[in-house]
Amino acid sequence: MAQAKQAETNKPDLLIVDDDPLITDTLNFVLSRDFAVYVADSRTRVKSLLRQLDNPPQLALIDLGLPPSPHRPDEGFRLIGELIAYSPGIKIVVLSGQSDEANARHARTLGAIEFVAKPCAPETLKTLLMRALEVREAELGAVAEGGLLGKNLLVEKLRQQISQFANAPFPVLIEGESGSGKELVASALHRLSQRAARPSFALNCAAISPTLVEPTLFGYAKGSFTGATTSRPGYFEDAKDSTLFLDEIGELPLELQAKLLRVLENGEYQRVGETQSRVSNARVVAATNRDMRQEIRAGRFRADLYHRLSVFTINVPPLRDLGEDKRILLDHFRDFYARQARVNPFELDAAAMRAWLEYSFPGNVRELRNIVIRLITKHAGQPVGAEQLQSELDMESFDIELPGLAAGQDFKAVLDAARRHLQLHKNFSLDNTLAQWERGYVEAALMITQGNLTQAAKMLGIHRTTLYSRMQSYGNPPEAEKTPRPAAK
């Protein structure tokens, strides 16, 4: 692995993740002329590396097949999601031998800007990475313009809440799916507040080692731990009289939640290694894509901290609920990236536009934006048909909205969803679709019951032996049944 210390260089940082040393050595040699390269061979190594860097890399080039399951894309998919959560502005290019179209589409849905099949000439990769860097810089330049696009009533409500809560000194909790725009909402809350003249600060609670969260938030005294050669203020001190954005708040270690609660209640905190209390009036805005009530029930998050953080709660709607706003966002991003690339925009024909409006966008606005970038690259100044568009959509994703049949539910909702699915899915297979849903429910039940087969079978309404045989058919023979842990007293 390359050294973790970021060099003083004007080169953009590039993270390369692949478990084949021949590939990483070759790419490192070729791309290090233009990029400051950091190499990791697994998802675990990536986490360790990122926690040692002062700033997240601007670019990532990753394989899907990574240890411990190098013949499956699962680890690569997880890594894409984790990198996006760690740094929403990072641009990810996937370079993988697992290059069937379904994997490519799903990687893009998760947030990858491009998918390239192995083998690929290093110069081609360099061109793609430079293009991704240009896109990133253009987006950063546009962030200051702010504003939430859309005319849907849910977006209007969102604007009203931001305006209403912006100047209040109390915490705000932003809830929403990955890619829905929670960071944009947090930025708007600061920009529209009386604190806007001061710089805001942001910390991704999932991005740093749990042992470093406390000194990062509260600061530390000289000699308080190994490596603390000087005293240093924390984010609460830096963000005094300003806004502190805590992203992925659900990842905050349980032992630190009481200390955060204390700051929220009376503004008091202590640097690590000090007994002197300090005071901060930083306005805290937190965000999560988790169900915090479920986290509380599971004992992973304090109820009192949740209630203190959620004095004001803003729910960012998923893109699938925004109807015609998908067209507005298409127009906005298409024109923006066409100007940035100095090309003419593409145009969706009538059939493609119907498919666009029907698509659920499981990756939300982030997925929509990346689809537009690829269409601009491939079809600048040209009409785009339904077949060309569908090659960019993740129709294999399990996020297709087919509602379940509750007692008394109108069957028309199921018919409408099935009709949309059939119209959008090029090579539909009823057997594959039903198998996907079955496996999804099985794995969800096992997650909820922490792997207890008896409880999962009861939840699913099937016999335990039936559940066991279904799991074997998925290629995941169940481990020894887990006994549920007793509830804490």
Side-chain angles (χ1 to χ4, degrees):
M1 182 187 296
Q3 69 276 14
K5 183 66 176 176
Q6 282 175 300
E8 295 293 330
T9 175
N10 292 326
K11 295 178 182 178
D13 294 327
L14 168 65
L15 171 66
I16 299 177
V17 189
D18 199 302
D19 62 341
D20 186 334
L22 180 60
I23 291 176
T24 54
D25 288 349
T26 302
L27 291 176
N28 191 359
F29 175 76
V30 175
L31 296 175
S32 60
R33 302 167 190 167
D34 301 284
F35 303 93
V37 176
Y38 302 89
V39 178
D41 59 9
S42 68
R43 194 163 58 96
T44 302
R45 291 283 183 89
V46 170
K47 290 181 179 180
S48 175
L49 173 63
L50 291 177
R51 286 167 178 167
Q52 298 174 59
L53 297 177
D54 295 329
N55 298 296
Q58 296 101 313
L59 302 166
L61 180 63
I62 72 170
D63 189 12
L64 291 183
L66 298 171
S69 52
H71 301 298
R72 295 167 56 95
D74 306 54
E75 283 292 293
F77 289 153
R78 292 189 187 100
L79 179 58
I80 293 172
E82 289 171 354
L83 286 173
I84 292 292
Y86 174 77
S87 177
I90 193 171
K91 295 303 176 187
I92 301 171
V93 175
V94 175
L95 174 66
S96 183
Q98 304 194 31
S99 55
D100 65 80
E101 193 58 35
N103 285 343
R105 285 195 295 265
H106 192 56
R108 292 165 180 154
T109 297
L110 293 171
I113 194 170
E114 192 52 88
F115 188 103
V116 184
K118 291 180 178 177
C120 180
E123 283 302 315
T124 301
L125 288 175
K126 175 186 169 182
T127 300
L128 286 172
L129 291 167
M130 285 299 188
R131 165 68 177 151
L133 188 64
E134 291 174 1
V135 168
R136 182 180 186 276
E137 291 173 348
E139 290 172 356
L140 290 175
V143 165
E145 298 176 12
L148 296 175
L149 295 173
K151 298 180 179 178
N152 189 279
L153 289 177
L154 294 175
V155 177
E156 290 292 343
K157 178 183 177 182
L158 194 59
R159 290 195 191 98
Q160 291 172 5
Q161 287 181 312
I162 292 171
S163 177
Q164 182 181 4
F165 302 157
N167 273 323
F170 307 111
V172 179
L173 179 63
I174 306 169
E175 297 179 313
E177 296 177 5
S178 178
S180 58
K182 297 185 293 297
E183 301 87 357
L184 185 62
V185 172
S187 176
L189 283 166
H190 176 71
R191 190 179 66 255
L192 296 177
S193 75
Q194 295 174 351
R195 303 165 184 254
R198 304 177 186 90
S200 62
F201 294 82
L203 175 68
N204 188 311
C205 298
I208 61 176
S209 169
T211 59
L212 294 178
V213 175
E214 184 175 7
T216 302
L217 280 176
F218 305 119
Y220 54 85
K222 180 180 178 180
S224 56
F225 55 85
T226 302
T229 56
T230 61
S231 296
R232 187 170 179 177
Y235 276 32
F236 270 104
E237 198 164 338
D238 291 335
K240 184 178 181 181
D241 299 323
S242 188
T243 303
L244 175 57
F245 177 45
L246 300 178
D247 201 3
E248 303 288 344
I249 191 66
E251 301 289 341
L252 189 69
L254 196 60
E255 60 271 19
L256 286 182
Q257 293 177 19
K259 295 184 178 182
L260 177 57
L261 178 63
R262 180 189 178 198
V263 186
L264 293 176
E265 288 182 333
N266 57 29
E268 292 186 357
Y269 68 95
Q270 293 173 332
R271 287 184 179 182
V272 176
E274 286 186 354
T275 56
Q276 171 192 354
S277 290
R278 299 171 182 266
V279 177
S280 172
N281 65 346
R283 199 272 181 93
V284 172
V285 176
T288 182
N289 59 11
R290 293 188 177 191
D291 182 342
M292 297 306 291
R293 298 156 195 81
Q294 177 61 37
E295 294 298 297
I296 292 169
R297 288 192 291 270
R300 292 186 291 266
F301 204 84
R302 293 177 60 118
D304 50 2
L305 177 57
Y306 168 74
H307 292 302
R308 195 71 182 86
L309 283 169
S310 58
V311 173
F312 297 127
T313 300
I314 294 178
N315 290 294
V316 183
L319 184 54
R320 62 179 172 273
D321 292 344
L322 299 185
E324 285 288 325
D325 280 5
K326 297 174 187 176
R327 189 195 303 266
I328 294 174
L329 290 167
L330 165 65
D331 292 342
H332 168 76
F333 286 118
R334 179 187 58 193
D335 294 344
F336 174 82
Y337 290 112
R339 287 195 305 271
Q340 190 269 329
R342 297 183 179 87
V343 297
N344 292 323
F346 62 86
E347 289 290 341
L348 298 185
D349 66 19
M353 182 59 76
R354 284 195 299 272
W356 181 269
L357 295 174
E358 293 281 5
Y359 184 54
S360 65
F361 290 96
N364 290 298
V365 178
R366 182 182 294 122
E367 180 188 6
L368 181 149
R369 182 190 63 196
N370 286 347
I371 291 172
V372 171
I373 292 171
R374 293 194 298 274
L375 290 174
I376 280 286
T377 303
K378 297 176 181 178
H379 307 292
Q382 302 174 21
V384 174
E387 187 171 343
Q388 292 166 308
L389 175 62
Q390 286 170 355
S391 68
E392 303 293 339
L393 307 182
D394 183 17
M395 305 310 300
E396 302 297 327
S397 172
F398 191 68
D399 290 294
I400 297 163
E401 289 197 63
L402 286 175
L405 280 176
Q409 179 179 324
D410 184 2
F411 187 65
K412 184 177 183 300
V414 179
L415 289 176
D416 288 343
R419 175 185 55 78
R420 291 195 301 270
H421 191 191
L422 287 169
Q423 289 174 335
L424 290 173
H425 205 296
K426 188 175 180 181
N427 297 309
F428 177 78
S429 166
L430 181 61
D431 288 341
N432 289 344
T433 300
L434 295 177
Q436 272 190 312
W437 277 93
E438 177 187 284
R439 183 171 182 175
Y441 276 102
V442 167
E443 294 190 0
L446 290 167
M447 289 173 62
I448 293 170
T449 60
Q450 298 180 355
N452 186 285
L453 299 186
T454 302
Q455 290 185 1
K458 184 177 180 181
M459 180 177 289
L460 293 166
I462 59 178
H463 195 275
R464 184 179 180 280
T465 55
T466 302
L467 174 59
Y468 191 94
S469 64
R470 299 277 174 89
M471 293 173 67
Q472 286 183 314
S473 71
Y474 305 146
N476 294 324
E479 302 172 359
E481 181 165 352
K482 300 176 184 177
T483 303
R485 293 175 291 183
K489 295 183 180 179

